[in-house]
Amino acid sequence: MTARIPALALLSGCFFILFLTGCAQWRSAESMAWPDNLPPRERFEAMYYLDPANQKVQTKAQYLTWVRRFYNGWKLYGTGWNDLAPEVLSQVEDPQEREHLERLIQELGFNIAGEWSKDSDHNRISTRHLSIWGNALREAMIQGEEREVLEQVHRDVDNLLDRQLLAGDITASRYYPEDEDDVFR
């Protein structure tokens, strides 16, 4: 005697599978929602389309995921540009200076994110650079040299992107002398 699955149970199973599929698609669309605390998505999409070589190895969705991670951090590195920027500005009291630095930080973040988010075989800005710049900016806050360091990093990013500077030229000592007492250097 063969077991028969009642038609209603089979139909219910099909609806359940469709429901789960719909939920998965809804969640995927939701996770792709563009955060309000980032520059417009269209600006990054335009940058993505300017690099056909990168498009061959990285989807737009992958690229945009890395843009979001740059700004907001992620599980492996919880601090993003949106955490660092207000920290750098926190000690700037002059309103005009603060406004100038805010614009500089926004532009700098966009340029860095747009390049760093590419596949690692196609970008000119690496995670090592992010670490060096983050540390330099934190030291600049201690030294009261936020403007000088932000402008230097901005020049360096522009020169990296224009191929006037090599990736290896970006070292910690470019911004501040190495600490002789640092056991991790």
Side-chain angles (χ1 to χ4, degrees):
M1 180 174 189
T2 60
R4 293 183 157 205
I5 299 174
L8 185 57
L10 184 59
L11 189 57
S12 295
C14 289
F15 280 120
F16 182 71
I17 291 171
L18 286 172
F19 173 77
L20 289 178
T21 303
C23 287
Q25 288 175 345
W26 174 77
R27 184 169 170 87
S28 296
E30 179 185 52
S31 67
M32 291 304 293
W34 197 250
D36 292 336
N37 63 344
L38 273 62
R41 176 183 182 143
E42 297 78 20
R43 290 185 68 195
F44 291 108
E45 288 175 338
M47 287 185 85
Y48 173 78
Y49 289 119
L50 288 174
D51 191 340
N54 187 60
Q55 292 172 45
K56 291 178 182 175
V57 296
Q58 184 184 46
T59 67
K60 182 174 68 171
Q62 291 168 330
Y63 175 78
L64 294 174
T65 295
W66 285 105
V67 169
R68 285 192 300 274
R69 288 176 176 174
F70 170 80
Y71 279 100
N72 293 328
W74 73 100
K75 289 179 184 177
L76 294 178
Y77 193 80
T79 303
W81 190 254
N82 285 340
D83 299 306
L84 179 62
E87 189 181 330
V88 170
L89 294 171
S90 67
Q91 298 178 30
V92 179
E93 294 178 14
D94 181 291
Q96 289 179 327
E97 179 71 0
R98 185 179 179 88
E99 186 178 324
H100 170 74
L101 294 181
E102 281 179 16
R103 283 193 308 273
L104 188 61
I105 285 174
Q106 287 174 2
E107 182 180 344
L108 186 57
F110 175 76
N111 291 337
I112 293 171
E115 185 66 22
W116 175 79
S117 298
K118 294 178 183 179
D119 180 79
S120 60
D121 290 334
H122 292 85
N123 66 15
R124 291 184 209 125
I125 295 176
S126 70
T127 301
R128 182 181 66 81
H129 296 130
L130 299 186
S131 177
I132 290 168
W133 293 328
N135 291 337
L137 288 169
R138 286 186 177 91
E139 181 65 26
M141 291 178 352
I142 294 167
Q143 302 296 329
E145 299 173 343
E146 295 91 343
R147 181 184 194 129
E148 294 83 357
V149 174
L150 277 168
E151 288 175 347
Q152 178 65 46
V153 171
H154 194 281
R155 282 189 302 273
D156 288 348
V157 167
D158 286 347
N159 287 331
L160 277 170
L161 297 178
D162 291 340
R163 299 181 189 270
Q164 302 299 313
L165 192 61
L166 298 174
D169 293 337
I170 303 298
T171 62
S173 62
R174 184 175 180 84
Y175 304 97
Y176 286 100
E178 288 188 44
D179 183 356
E180 297 291 326
D181 297 326
D182 184 357
V183 295
F184 297 107
R185 64 180 177 97

